[in-house]
Amino acid sequence: MLRRPGVGEGFFALRWSGRIVAMFAHRRLREKPPTGGVSVYRESIPLDEALVGPGRRLLEALDWQGVAMVECKREETTGRQVIMEVNGRFWGSLQLAIDAGVDFPSLLVRCAAGETVPETRQYDVGIRSRWFWGDVDHLYLRLRDPRAGSRLRALLDFFRVRPGRDRAEVWRWRDPAPFVVETLQWLRSLLSRVTPRR
């Protein structure tokens, strides 16, 4: 498998009836596993043409209708965007887009219902979203791998949370049930890994 060092970035779009209705972009700050995988901590970023341009052209060439995520890696040496994959569905970090001001599910429903939906290009930049249990897994993997760098830095990064900027992906005061269910599933998975089989 070919590995490309760089920062993971994503371009997210809703295209309907031949036009882009909404766009959003984020940068991965932490992943699980730490060497590259699903994002567990990410930040909304401006719509940079180097990221948006290739994604738009690809969706237009496919005459895409619906939501899509174009996942890229920005090369460390050149700054060039390399497309890693395209997901034609809602993505795991969807809550970040909603928290930043782009409610893709609502916009998609309105498009499917036949409404004329104005284009959405504006959202809050610098909003961060954290998948808590995924971030716990990220921390665990960094602490047990001596090649992963400073353990102290990993702990400090994990506990550095800023209210107003950092949002919880799953936990919501008005609806705590999803977080409770996910916590129980995470604990069950942990127990199955540490309990010896008979």
Side-chain angles (χ1 to χ4, degrees):
M1 175 166 52
L2 179 64
R3 282 202 173 274
R4 288 191 177 271
V7 177
E9 295 182 345
F11 166 63
F12 310 86
L14 167 58
R15 189 173 186 273
W16 199 267
S17 297
R19 71 184 182 98
I20 298 283
V21 175
M23 296 191 299
F24 178 73
H26 84 208
R27 177 178 298 118
R28 292 169 176 232
L29 301 174
R30 289 198 287 269
E31 299 173 281
K32 181 183 87 168
T35 54
V38 299
S39 69
V40 298
Y41 189 49
R42 72 291 282 190
E43 180 177 34
S44 60
I45 60 174
L47 292 168
D48 176 13
E49 182 57 28
L51 174 64
V52 172
R56 283 189 73 153
R57 290 192 294 274
L58 177 61
L59 297 180
E60 287 165 6
L62 294 170
D63 194 22
W64 188 259
Q65 175 138 311
V67 294
M69 170 192 181
V70 181
E71 184 179 348
C72 299
K73 185 82 77 143
R74 186 182 293 272
E75 288 184 326
E76 289 178 352
T77 53
T78 66
R80 183 174 68 101
Q81 291 286 358
V82 178
I83 291 180
M84 308 299 284
E85 67 175 343
V86 179
N87 292 309
R89 55 170 172 74
F90 283 125
W91 44 93
S93 58
L94 174 63
Q95 188 62 50
L96 173 59
I98 296 170
D99 287 344
V102 187
D103 191 340
F104 280 99
S106 175
L107 293 169
L108 178 60
V109 168
R110 291 174 60 194
C111 287
E115 288 186 39
T116 302
V117 181
E119 294 184 3
T120 301
R121 298 284 187 276
Q122 300 298 316
Y123 56 83
D124 295 329
V125 171
I127 301 296
R128 293 184 177 184
S129 174
R130 181 188 199 200
W131 172 30
F132 180 77
W133 289 116
D135 208 14
V136 170
D137 290 339
H138 169 94
L139 175 63
Y140 169 74
L141 292 169
R142 281 184 65 185
L143 291 177
R144 67 182 286 233
D145 185 354
R147 298 166 299 169
S150 165
R151 291 186 171 106
L152 177 59
R153 168 63 59 196
L155 282 166
L156 290 174
D157 288 345
F158 180 81
F159 287 108
R160 188 177 292 122
V161 177
R162 195 163 77 197
R165 180 197 67 184
D166 293 353
R167 314 289 172 89
E169 181 177 282
V170 181
W171 170 260
R172 300 287 147 152
W173 284 104
R174 65 183 181 276
D175 186 12
F179 182 79
V180 171
V181 169
E182 184 183 51
T183 299
L184 293 173
Q185 291 171 339
W186 187 89
L187 291 171
R188 190 176 303 119
S189 173
L190 177 65
L191 287 174
S192 70
R193 291 194 302 261
V194 299
T195 303
R197 293 183 179 177
R198 294 183 180 182

